[in-house]
Amino acid sequence: KNTTTTQNKILENIKNSKAEKNIKTAREKEDLLPASSKVIDDRLSSSTKSTKTDWGTVADKYDKYLNSESNYHNEIIFPNIKRLLGDINGKNILDIACGQGIMCEKLKSENKNAKISGFDMGDDLVKIAKQNTEKNKSHIKFFLANAENFYEEVKKQDSEIFNTLPENKIDTALCVLALQNIENVKKVLENIKL
């Protein structure tokens, strides 16, 4: 409750400052990733929870950037994810807030027997992820889902997905550069069956 009160105070301060105008101006200039500004805009403009993010025209640019050879994901994040996960062949991997699926694709390319699934609430990003897995023939399942309710939302899209896992179990879950955008992290972590 204290966290919620603090968040509400911060949001109220932002709402009463120039920050709201700056966020909208930055989005128009595409200086900020729209996922972050969309979540902030949603919280500022209403009390209802956002169930998706709007990446719009930036989704394709983001995908091109992540698929370039020299970027932060390729040079820093992926090598460390690989090191932390170890051997994942034959394991069931879930990428929470997978974006356009770059980590799933990279992991699958080096671990052909891993069963990898990812979900995100950015429909533009999930569409790109599905296009990429089809193009790469990587057989990764991607879903449009909110992290806090992903089991229910994924089951609506593919009722067999969790039934195919041994004891409905995920061996490893990862969430790269997204926890800060999830409102109820505790609920997300409680939903993961490891």
Side-chain angles (χ1 to χ4, degrees):
K1 290 183 179 181
N2 288 339
T3 303
T4 303
T5 303
T6 303
Q7 288 174 341
N8 288 338
K9 285 180 183 177
I10 292 169
L11 291 171
E12 189 61 34
N13 288 338
I14 291 171
K15 196 173 193 175
N16 293 330
S17 71
K18 293 180 181 179
E20 183 176 8
K21 181 180 176 188
N22 292 342
I23 289 167
K24 289 177 182 173
T25 302
R27 184 195 289 143
E28 289 168 7
K29 293 180 181 178
E30 294 183 358
D31 290 341
L32 279 178
L33 292 176
S36 300
S37 60
K38 175 67 175 154
V39 169
I40 291 169
D41 283 352
D42 283 351
R43 289 182 183 175
L44 290 171
S45 63
S46 72
S47 61
T48 60
K49 279 189 177 180
S50 172
T51 56
K52 69 177 199 170
T53 58
D54 179 13
W55 281 75
T57 59
V58 180
D60 288 327
K61 292 175 187 176
Y62 185 61
D63 184 52
K64 286 177 186 168
Y65 166 74
L66 289 180
N67 282 297
S68 65
E69 283 185 41
S70 180
N71 65 55
Y72 185 73
H73 278 70
N74 286 332
E75 295 173 8
I76 305 296
I77 295 174
F78 185 65
N80 283 294
I81 293 291
K82 236 172 60 171
R83 178 181 56 80
L84 291 169
L85 294 180
D87 182 18
I88 62 167
N89 264 317
K91 293 187 178 177
N92 298 301
I93 309 299
L94 178 65
D95 188 354
I96 301 167
C98 67
Q100 51 62 277
I102 191 73
M103 285 298 136
C104 295
E105 289 288 345
K106 288 184 170 297
L107 289 169
K108 186 69 171 184
S109 72
E110 295 188 15
N111 302 277
K112 300 292 184 196
N113 294 323
K115 295 177 183 117
I116 301 176
S117 302
F119 69 86
D120 198 281
M121 57 189 252
D123 56 350
D124 298 315
L125 296 175
V126 173
K127 285 177 190 171
I128 291 171
K130 288 179 178 182
Q131 290 168 355
N132 288 342
T133 195
E134 189 174 313
K135 178 179 73 177
N136 298 332
K137 296 180 179 20
S138 50
H139 307 289
I140 300 168
K141 293 201 174 202
F142 291 104
F143 302 94
L144 180 63
N146 179 314
E148 294 177 19
N149 302 310
F150 69 91
Y151 270 106
E152 294 82 16
E153 292 181 29
V154 168
K155 282 183 181 180
K156 288 177 191 172
Q157 297 169 57
D158 183 349
S159 62
E160 297 298 312
I161 184 70
F162 295 113
N163 295 334
T164 61
L165 302 176
E167 300 174 14
N168 294 331
K169 185 178 176 189
I170 302 295
D171 293 307
T172 302
L174 61 130
C175 183
V176 179
L177 300 175
L179 279 179
Q180 72 280 3
N181 296 322
I182 297 172
E183 191 170 319
N184 190 343
V185 174
K186 183 178 179 186
K187 183 176 179 184
V188 174
L189 297 176
E190 287 171 350
N191 282 330
I192 300 171
K193 297 178 182 180
L194 294 174

